[in-house]
Amino acid sequence: MNENLNEIQISGIRRFASKVKMVEGALSLTIGQPDFDMPVAVSEAMIRAIKEHKTVYTSNEGIVELRDEICRYLKNTFDIEYDKDEVCLTVGGSEGLFSVLNALLNPKDKILISSPAYPAYENIAKMIGAEVVNYGLNDDFTINIDEIREKIEKDNIKYLMLSFPSNPTGAILIKKQRDELADLIKKKNIVVITDEMYSGIIFDDYYSVAQIKEIKDKIIYVSGFSKLLSMTGIRVGYVACTEKYMKEIMKVHQYNVSCTSSIGQYGALEGLRSSLDDAEIMRKSFERRKNYCMKRLRDIRIEVNEPMGAFYIFPSIKKFNMTSEEFCEKLLNEEKLGCVPGNAFGKLGEGYMRISYCYSDEELKEAFDRLERFIKKNFPNC
C-alpha cells in the first residue's frame, strides 16, 4: 500500500459523527451542512438540464457560462478579479484542494498549515509526501503574522495554506491582518492557497489576500457552492488562479475526474443568477443562531471567542481537565449530545470542541439544555 497513508486516519469529524449515530436518541451538532433546502431555482435548473439532455461531459474546465458568472460574482461581491480562463470547475472544494496540492507539492516540500484547521489540508499534503509545518493562531484564532513570518524564514517554506472564514473556529481575516499578510507575501518567494468556501457566510466586512492585485500571481483561490447555496451533495466547487498554476492543476483535474457534474454546473449557474437572495436569508439565519449559541455558552461560563463567519463555534474546554476526546465521549454517553473533539482539527485543536449550528432553533435549544445539564452535573464549581 501507499506508505504515505500510514500517517493518515479517517476524518475525526466523520468518525465522531458516526459514533453519534450509534447512540439512540442522540442529538448531533457535528456535521457542517446547511439545514436549508437547495434554492428552488437551482433544483429546477438541474431538472431542466436533465430534460434538455445536458448530461454529457463538459469541457474539463467546466461550462463557460458558469465560469463567466463566477468571475462576475467574485468581482461584484468581493472585488476579486479573475478571467473565465483562470477558473476551473471542480468536484466540490475538496477535489479543488486535492488537485491544487497535487499540482504544487513535491515529496519533502514544506507547506505551512495552521493548527487548528480543516483536516483535509494536512492529510492531502501527507498523501503526497510533503512535510507539514504547523503555525499557531492568536488566542482569538486570528492569524499570527509574526509566527508565519518566522516559520517561512526558518523552515524554507514554499507554500502557505489559508482559510477564512475558518472551519473550525469561525475566525475571519480583518483588514489590518490582510494587509500585513499581503506585504509579507510580496516579499517572500511563496505560493498561497486560500480556501474561501465559507466566504458567503460572514457577519462582518470581508477581506482576502486574493483582493490584492499585486500578488495575484502568488495566489490560488478555492471555493464553491456547497455552503453558499446548500448544494453539499451536488459537488460543484472551483479553483481560480493565473495560467502558470492552472495549466498544471488542469492535468491533475483532468486525469482525476475529467469534469464535475454537468447538471450541477447548470444548477450553480442559475444559483448565481437568481438565488443569492436565498443565500442571504441563510446567512442571516446563521448569524441569529450563532448569537443564540454564544449566549447559551456564556451563560454556563464556557470560554469562547466570537466567530465572525462560517457556522461553527470552537469553545475552550481546557478548564475541565479532560482531553477533548474524553470530554466529547462523556457528553455523548451521558447526555446524548454529539460535538466534535478539537483534536480532529490538529494538535493545537486539543482543549476545544467544535459545535456546528446548522440545526433548527428547537434542536439548538435542546442541545444546549443538554450541555448545560452536563456541565452543572459534572463540573459544579467551574
Side-chain angles (χ1 to χ4, degrees):
M1 305 300 289
N2 180 347
E3 292 181 359
N4 292 336
L5 297 181
N6 292 339
E7 290 188 66
I8 294 169
Q9 302 297 324
I10 296 298
S11 163
I13 306 169
R14 295 285 177 171
R15 178 179 56 80
F16 212 83
S18 296
K19 270 187 186 179
V20 176
K21 289 180 180 178
M22 301 296 290
V23 177
E24 186 177 352
L27 186 57
S28 176
L29 301 182
T30 57
I31 298 297
Q33 175 167 261
D35 61 322
F36 292 83
D37 291 334
M38 191 166 58
V40 172
V42 175
S43 301
E44 290 177 344
M46 293 172 61
I47 293 167
R48 191 163 57 248
I50 293 172
K51 289 181 176 178
E52 294 173 358
H53 308 293
K54 294 178 177 177
T55 54
V56 297
Y57 292 128
T58 69
S59 68
N60 298 132
E61 300 93 328
I63 61 173
V64 69
E65 305 99 304
L66 179 52
R67 289 185 283 127
D68 260 333
E69 202 65 44
I70 288 169
C71 294
R72 275 190 286 274
Y73 170 74
L74 291 177
K75 175 60 180 173
N76 295 337
T77 310
F78 304 120
D79 192 30
I80 294 173
E81 292 187 12
Y82 285 103
D83 178 81
K84 67 180 186 302
D85 294 328
E86 296 174 320
V87 175
C88 172
L89 277 300
T90 60
V91 182
S94 297
E95 188 257 318
L97 289 167
F98 189 87
S99 292
V100 167
L101 292 175
N102 272 274
L104 291 177
L105 296 174
N106 291 293
K108 308 302 181 185
D109 278 350
K110 293 181 179 180
I111 180 169
L112 198 53
I113 299 173
S114 72
S115 183
Y118 180 52
Y121 310 145
E122 189 160 326
N123 286 310
I124 295 171
K126 287 179 177 178
M127 286 181 197
I128 299 164
E131 181 180 341
V132 173
V133 179
N134 288 127
Y135 65 92
L137 302 167
N138 295 321
D139 290 342
D140 61 356
F141 301 126
T142 56
I143 199 161
N144 188 322
I145 306 292
D146 290 336
E147 183 165 349
I148 290 175
R149 181 183 295 108
E150 177 186 336
K151 293 206 168 181
I152 287 174
E153 293 171 353
K154 176 185 174 185
D155 294 318
N156 189 30
I157 302 292
K158 292 183 177 181
Y159 306 101
L160 170 64
M161 187 78 223
L162 299 176
S163 178
F164 295 103
S166 165
N167 173 11
T169 68
I172 62 172
L173 198 61
I174 62 174
K175 185 177 186 301
K176 181 176 183 292
Q177 294 168 336
R178 190 275 313 267
D179 293 345
E180 289 178 358
L181 188 55
D183 187 58
L184 176 64
I185 294 166
K186 287 177 191 175
K187 294 174 181 175
K188 302 296 180 181
N189 182 25
I190 191 166
V191 178
V192 178
I193 307 99
T194 179
D195 177 1
E196 310 211 5
M197 182 59 70
Y198 295 91
S199 58
I201 305 170
I202 193 163
F203 316 127
D204 203 341
D205 294 331
Y206 189 71
Y207 294 98
S208 166
V209 291
Q211 295 166 325
I212 308 299
K213 312 299 186 285
E214 298 93 321
I215 57 173
K216 180 179 177 179
D217 65 342
K218 293 184 172 185
I219 304 295
I220 299 174
Y221 183 97
V222 180
S223 191
F225 301 96
S226 291
K227 318 300 182 179
L228 177 69
L229 294 172
S230 196
M231 295 175 63
T232 52
I234 308 301
R235 313 309 299 137
V236 183
Y238 59 91
V239 172
C241 56
T242 57
E243 184 195 7
K244 68 178 179 179
Y245 305 121
M246 185 58 77
K247 66 181 183 180
E248 304 304 316
I249 293 168
M250 284 299 302
K251 295 175 186 176
V252 183
H253 169 73
Q254 175 186 342
Y255 288 114
N256 190 19
V257 297
S258 296
C259 63
T260 192
S261 158
S262 59
I263 62 172
Q265 292 182 59
Y266 287 104
L269 174 62
E270 184 60 34
L272 286 181
R273 287 176 172 173
S274 68
S275 299
L276 292 180
D277 286 346
D278 295 87
E280 177 61 10
I281 290 169
M282 280 198 296
R283 189 198 67 79
K284 286 180 177 178
S285 178
F286 287 134
E287 185 171 20
R288 179 180 53 76
R289 295 182 199 180
K290 183 260 296 187
N291 292 337
Y292 173 79
C293 296
M294 289 295 294
K295 181 181 185 305
R296 292 297 304 267
L297 287 167
R298 286 167 174 159
D299 285 348
I300 55 178
R301 298 191 298 278
I302 290 182
E303 297 171 22
V304 60
N305 290 293
E306 180 106 16
M308 297 308 295
F311 34 61
Y312 307 109
I313 299 179
F314 205 58
S316 171
I317 52 175
K318 293 177 182 178
K319 70 177 182 178
F320 302 122
N321 296 316
M322 303 173 73
T323 68
S324 59
E325 193 85 18
E326 289 169 342
F327 183 92
C328 290
E329 286 270 8
K330 189 174 178 67
L331 177 59
L332 176 60
N333 292 330
E334 292 188 9
E335 290 296 338
K336 298 187 177 184
L337 177 61
C339 301
V340 182
N343 65 350
F345 304 95
K347 58 186 178 183
L348 298 183
E350 183 54 72
Y352 299 87
M353 66 177 180
R354 192 190 76 173
I355 294 171
S356 167
Y357 49 90
C358 295
Y359 298 89
S360 70
D361 293 355
E362 294 76 19
E363 288 173 304
L364 289 175
K365 181 183 183 305
E366 175 61 25
F368 279 92
D369 287 347
R370 294 184 188 188
L371 178 60
E372 182 174 357
R373 191 161 57 238
F374 175 77
I375 297 297
K376 286 181 177 178
K377 180 176 69 174
N378 289 283
F379 311 102
N381 299 318
C382 288

